[in-house]
Amino acid sequence: MASVSSLADEVSCPICQGTLREPVTVDCGHNYCRACLTRYCEIPGPDPNEPLHCPLCKEPFRLGGFRPNWQLASVVENIERLTLVSTLGSDQEDVCQEHGEKIYFFCEDDEAQLCVVCREAQEHQTHTVRFLDEAAGPYREQIQKCLECLRREREEIQRIQSRENQRIQVLLCQVATKRQKVIFEFAHLSQFLEEQQSVLLAELEKLDGDILKQRDVFDALVSEEICRFSTLVAELEEKLGRPARELLTQVCKSLHCMDHEIKGLASMIPDALPTLQFWDSRTPYGNPRSETRKCRKPEAVSQELGQRIRDFPQRVLPLRREVTTFLEKLCFELDYEPAPISLDPQTSHPKLLLSEDHRRAQFSYKWQNSPDNSQRFDRATCVLAHGGFTEGRHTWMVMVDLAHGGSCTVGVVREDVKRKGELKLRPEEGVWAVRLAWGFVSALGSFPMRLALQEQPRQVRVTLDYEVGWVTFVNAVSQEPIYTFTTSFTQKVFPFFGLWGRGSSFSLSP
């Protein structure tokens, strides 16, 4: 009887504490009455946008993610029947309420407990009637089977929970590492930018001072010469206004002196006047001679200072290069963790020609004289890389050169992948790969799926995250994501390469 009570506890609803009615299962695996869970979901929370959480383990679940658990419903029904058969062991309940006799039998047709008198009644004469313990035996077996099935499912969910929690911890560690890298690199960049800002501002300050200094010198010189020209203009205007007799008195001598004054001014300030005419003092009437003097325009900024101002933008080019280098380095450290791999000739199919450094393979219809061994592929034209991985995050680059009609397969395989005979390229066989064919790319899942990409990849970056269980493929040129497999690795995996088509080849980027 105590065992029946413990079985009843196994099928109780955590919300109402009663026996499960129309049991449903949420994403985390816990079971509730449908009505209880529906009422629980209708209770508004503090944040309307916050997802619903399991009342027991607080894991989030989707509102429409209820799954009816028919098997558990059958278990509940059987436990209720067994409880009815066992009658909890009390003397009062062991007595037939109609005849006052002790109950010994169970009618399977009517699912009723019978005393001796009931057993002899006419309505039970043709029914299957058994002793209580005998009748309870098959129900116990059914319940035991259901419990074993439920416990296995619970253990599987617990294994999944443990695996996913481990994956989450690995991802959190990776994010923490990336955070430290970002902080360090940006601190370094910030220091560099502050230094460059100080240098550039200092140069601009110096240019500003030099411009103001040359402006002051220019203003002083021009003001002085304008004053001297104004004096000459006033003298000539005064002579021009004299009567003819006074104007002609010593006019040649005056013009000769004026000629020397103007020549002196023109030599001191270039282009003070656009054109200067000089009188020939040897002519009796001082006729203007044909000589003219062309002068350069005055300059407030020297050519050397102007060139420095024009060349200032060039000082920013190293800054641009440094920022570009910073971004490339940051992307490299956050995403690209190169694994130094090379091809293993012991696994190479005889139709694959490997380079001397074992970093390039080319397809050939001519079989190579390669000794047979247990590691070598004999049907699939494939090759593995040396080593393999049992932990960590690793990346390698594959450059593909396909001839017309050729194809290349890249990815990872388990250590126990089939080497002899036909190899089925799918995760169930321990292969996680994509195929690059002439004109299209396919993800080799349980069923091959052609991918819609913006361009045909020529360089593919493959990233293996062992603990997280990710195998990611990216176009190394355009950075376009190609495909990502999610799985759980339990043994060593190796980089995997397949090739087909005369003239087709691939190589590993250093």
Side-chain angles (χ1 to χ4, degrees):
M1 297 179 186
S3 62
V4 175
S5 176
S6 63
L7 291 177
D9 292 339
E10 291 275 355
V11 293
S12 62
C13 174
I15 296 178
C16 67
Q17 303 300 318
T19 304
L20 286 167
R21 301 297 177 190
E22 296 185 74
V24 293
T25 305
V26 295
D27 296 337
C28 62
H30 289 116
N31 300 285
Y32 302 92
C33 299
R34 177 181 292 277
C36 295
L37 191 59
T38 301
R39 287 193 298 270
Y40 171 79
C41 295
E42 292 174 352
I43 299 175
D47 186 0
N49 298 322
E50 184 178 2
L52 298 170
H53 293 81
C54 174
L56 280 179
C57 64
K58 304 306 179 183
E59 287 291 323
F61 67 89
R62 294 172 290 108
L63 182 59
F66 304 166
R67 299 188 301 277
N69 196 331
W70 305 114
Q71 192 173 28
L72 182 58
S74 176
V75 171
V76 172
E77 182 180 352
N78 289 332
I79 290 177
E80 289 180 336
R81 289 179 181 177
L82 186 58
T83 303
L84 182 63
V85 171
S86 301
T87 66
L88 300 178
S90 66
D91 293 339
Q92 183 179 0
E93 291 177 346
D94 282 348
V95 175
C96 176
Q97 295 182 0
E98 182 179 355
H99 303 105
E101 297 289 335
K102 187 175 178 62
I103 295 175
Y104 290 102
F105 306 99
F106 178 75
C107 177
E108 294 185 350
D109 295 84
D110 293 339
E111 297 184 358
Q113 300 178 34
L114 308 177
C115 65
V116 176
V117 179
C118 295
R119 170 70 180 84
E120 300 300 326
Q122 183 64 34
E123 64 265 25
H124 297 294
Q125 289 296 316
T126 59
H127 293 174
T128 302
V129 179
R130 302 179 188 277
F131 285 104
L132 291 178
D133 290 341
E134 183 184 356
Y139 292 109
R140 290 181 187 275
E141 293 178 1
Q142 293 182 35
I143 293 174
Q144 186 64 34
K145 291 180 181 179
C146 291
L147 283 176
E148 291 175 358
C149 181
L150 290 174
R151 289 187 178 114
R152 285 195 300 270
E153 290 185 2
R154 183 176 63 185
E155 291 173 359
E156 178 62 23
I157 291 176
Q158 289 173 343
R159 284 195 297 270
I160 293 174
Q161 182 183 28
S162 176
R163 184 189 67 199
E164 294 303 312
N165 285 338
Q166 182 181 5
R167 176 179 292 176
I168 289 173
Q169 291 302 317
V170 172
L171 291 174
L172 289 175
C173 291
Q174 291 183 2
V175 170
T177 302
K178 294 178 188 299
R179 182 184 295 109
Q180 293 302 319
K181 289 182 179 180
V182 169
I183 293 174
F184 175 79
E185 293 298 334
F186 270 90
H188 178 74
L189 178 65
S190 178
Q191 180 181 357
F192 172 79
L193 292 177
E194 289 178 359
E195 293 174 354
Q196 291 299 309
Q197 181 187 30
S198 299
V199 171
L200 294 176
L201 290 178
E203 292 189 11
L204 289 174
E205 190 71 23
K206 190 174 186 308
L207 287 174
D208 188 68
D210 292 345
I211 292 173
L212 294 177
K213 185 185 297 183
Q214 291 197 12
R215 183 196 66 180
D216 294 341
V217 173
F218 174 78
D219 288 345
L221 183 59
V222 169
S223 298
E224 179 183 351
E225 298 310 319
I226 288 177
C227 181
R228 295 178 62 181
F229 268 100
S230 298
T231 302
L232 292 176
V233 168
E235 291 181 4
L236 288 178
E237 288 176 345
E238 189 273 334
K239 290 184 180 295
L240 187 62
R242 290 180 182 181
R245 183 172 174 276
E246 293 183 13
L247 177 65
L248 293 175
T249 302
Q250 296 182 345
V251 65
C252 291
K253 183 177 180 180
S254 297
L255 291 176
H256 183 70
C257 293
M258 189 67 64
D259 182 22
H260 282 289
E261 288 285 345
I262 294 176
K263 287 181 181 179
L265 290 175
S267 63
M268 296 180 67
I269 298 185
D271 286 344
L273 295 174
T275 301
L276 296 179
Q277 292 185 334
F278 299 97
W279 282 264
D280 190 350
S281 58
R282 294 170 295 178
T283 59
Y285 301 105
N287 293 327
R289 58 187 178 183
S290 61
E291 180 184 357
T292 59
R293 298 182 183 272
K294 298 285 186 179
C295 300
R296 294 175 299 172
K297 293 182 179 180
E299 295 181 351
V301 178
S302 67
Q303 293 185 1
E304 183 270 338
L305 180 57
Q307 188 63 42
R308 284 169 54 195
I309 296 174
R310 289 190 296 272
D311 290 344
F312 182 79
Q314 302 299 320
R315 300 299 303 267
V316 185
L317 294 180
L319 181 61
R320 180 188 300 174
R321 288 192 294 268
E322 183 68 21
V323 173
T324 302
T325 303
F326 161 78
L327 294 175
E328 293 175 351
K329 181 180 179 182
L330 184 62
C331 292
F332 180 90
E333 293 191 354
L334 291 180
D335 184 59
Y336 190 61
E337 300 175 14
I341 65 173
S342 60
L343 304 177
D344 184 0
Q346 297 298 319
T347 65
S348 175
H349 187 278
K351 285 188 177 182
L352 296 182
L353 299 176
L354 304 187
S355 61
E356 292 184 1
D357 60 358
H358 297 162
R359 300 189 63 83
R360 184 177 183 274
Q362 183 175 356
F363 182 88
S364 173
Y365 283 110
K366 181 179 179 180
W367 283 60
Q368 309 303 306
N369 187 18
S370 303
D372 190 20
N373 58 58
S374 60
Q375 304 176 40
R376 191 179 305 281
F377 292 93
D378 65 351
R379 287 281 300 275
T381 52
C382 305
V383 61
L384 303 183
H386 276 293
F389 308 105
T390 57
E391 62 180 0
R393 189 170 186 269
H394 312 277
T395 302
W396 56 93
M397 298 270 291
V398 185
M399 293 179 289
V400 180
D401 185 9
L402 298 180
H404 184 75
S407 66
C408 180
T409 304
V410 297
V412 299
V413 297
R414 287 198 310 254
E415 186 175 20
D416 64 353
V417 70
K418 187 177 181 181
R419 313 289 179 96
K420 306 301 180 182
E422 182 182 2
L423 173 62
K424 296 181 179 179
L425 304 179
R426 58 189 184 187
E428 292 82 358
E429 303 297 326
V431 180
W432 299 269
V434 297
R435 173 174 291 156
L436 287 75
W438 185 264
F440 65 91
V441 178
S442 298
L444 303 179
S446 300
F447 300 95
M449 177 176 59
R450 184 171 294 194
L451 305 175
L453 303 178
Q454 295 182 359
E455 63 179 64
Q456 183 78 5
R458 298 291 300 274
Q459 297 185 33
V460 179
R461 183 168 71 245
V462 185
T463 300
L464 166 68
D465 202 324
Y466 190 94
E467 285 80 7
V468 179
W470 288 343
V471 184
T472 304
F473 303 87
V474 176
N475 187 327
V477 177
S478 66
Q479 307 305 317
E480 178 185 10
I482 299 176
Y483 196 76
T484 296
F485 288 96
T486 300
T487 185
S488 179
F489 297 114
T490 58
Q491 57 178 279
K492 181 181 287 188
V493 294
F494 290 80
F496 169 78
F497 310 90
L499 195 61
W500 181 262
R502 185 193 300 274
S504 296
S505 64
F506 71 86
S507 58
L508 303 177
S509 178

